[in-house]
Amino acid sequence: MPERGRFQPPGQDEAVYVISVAAELSGLHPQTLRTYERVGLITPGRTGGGGRRYSYRDIERLREIADLTASGIGIEGVKRILDLENAVSALRARNAELAEELEATREALRQATAPRPAPRSNLPALPSAPVGQAVVVWRRRP
């Protein structure tokens, strides 16, 4: 827990920036931020009174949106690109989880199939036939 009286910078996901500061940091007009919220490109946090609060991650997303629109991509295209980027990130994370699970399963299989020393017992040692050396005699019924 942080000490009282010491300044701790906000985390990347803490919604602390008012709309005017977020607009200045992202290089966009506050009305543009409201439009992006209305079309679903960004979802800022809200105060108890309903004021918008943006996180550092929101501002980074706004900058990315600004770059895409500046390159000539429309709002719907930007929305689709961001949705696809989110889907790719989720799939990469899931792929990493599955790769870890597969490696853990392989290791468990290696351990399960590893040769183990024979348990010690007080029984006399019985000679065992080598594998593949047994002979089976079959008789046909008349």
Side-chain angles (χ1 to χ4, degrees), residues 116-133:
R116 296 187 178 150
R120 297 183 61 139
S121 69
N122 293 335
L123 297 175
L126 299 174
S128 61
V131 176
Q133 299 294 320

Side-chain angles (χ1 to χ4, degrees), residues 17 60 63 66 102 124-125:
Y17 302 103
E60 288 297 313
R63 289 176 180 159
L102 177 61

Side-chain angles (χ1 to χ4, degrees), residues 98-121:
L98 291 172
E100 288 176 17
E101 184 178 332
L102 177 61
E103 186 53 39
T105 302
R106 285 180 175 159
E107 181 57 31
L109 182 60
R110 277 192 287 276
Q111 290 178 5
T113 59
R116 296 187 178 150
R120 297 183 61 139
S121 69

Side-chain angles (χ1 to χ4, degrees), residues 6-126:
R6 293 207 44 166
F7 174 75
Q8 296 293 325
Q12 288 195 354
D13 293 319
E14 288 184 61
V16 294
Y17 302 103
V18 295
I19 192 167
S20 60
V21 174
E24 186 175 334
L25 291 173
S26 64
L28 299 169
H29 192 276
Q31 190 60 41
T32 305
L33 273 61
R34 290 183 192 97
T35 302
Y36 288 169
E37 180 184 0
R38 192 170 42 255
V39 297
L41 290 176
I42 191 126
T43 307
R46 296 285 182 165
T47 63
R52 293 172 179 84
R53 293 290 187 268
Y54 294 85
S55 68
Y56 181 77
R57 201 174 303 271
D58 291 334
I59 293 169
E60 288 297 313
R61 185 174 178 111
L62 288 167
R63 289 176 180 159
E64 184 179 359
I65 293 167
D67 289 343
L68 290 169
T69 56
S71 67
I73 300 172
I75 295 296
E76 288 303 316
V78 169
K79 190 173 184 180
R80 182 75 174 139
I81 288 169
L82 294 176
D83 288 345
L84 289 171
E85 285 178 352
N86 289 338
V88 167
S89 295
L91 289 171
R92 284 186 176 143
R94 182 65 178 141
N95 191 33
E97 289 173 8
L98 291 172
E100 288 176 17
E101 184 178 332
L102 177 61
E103 186 53 39
T105 302
R106 285 180 175 159
E107 181 57 31
L109 182 60
R110 277 192 287 276
Q111 290 178 5
T113 59
R116 296 187 178 150
R120 297 183 61 139
S121 69
N122 293 335
L123 297 175
L126 299 174

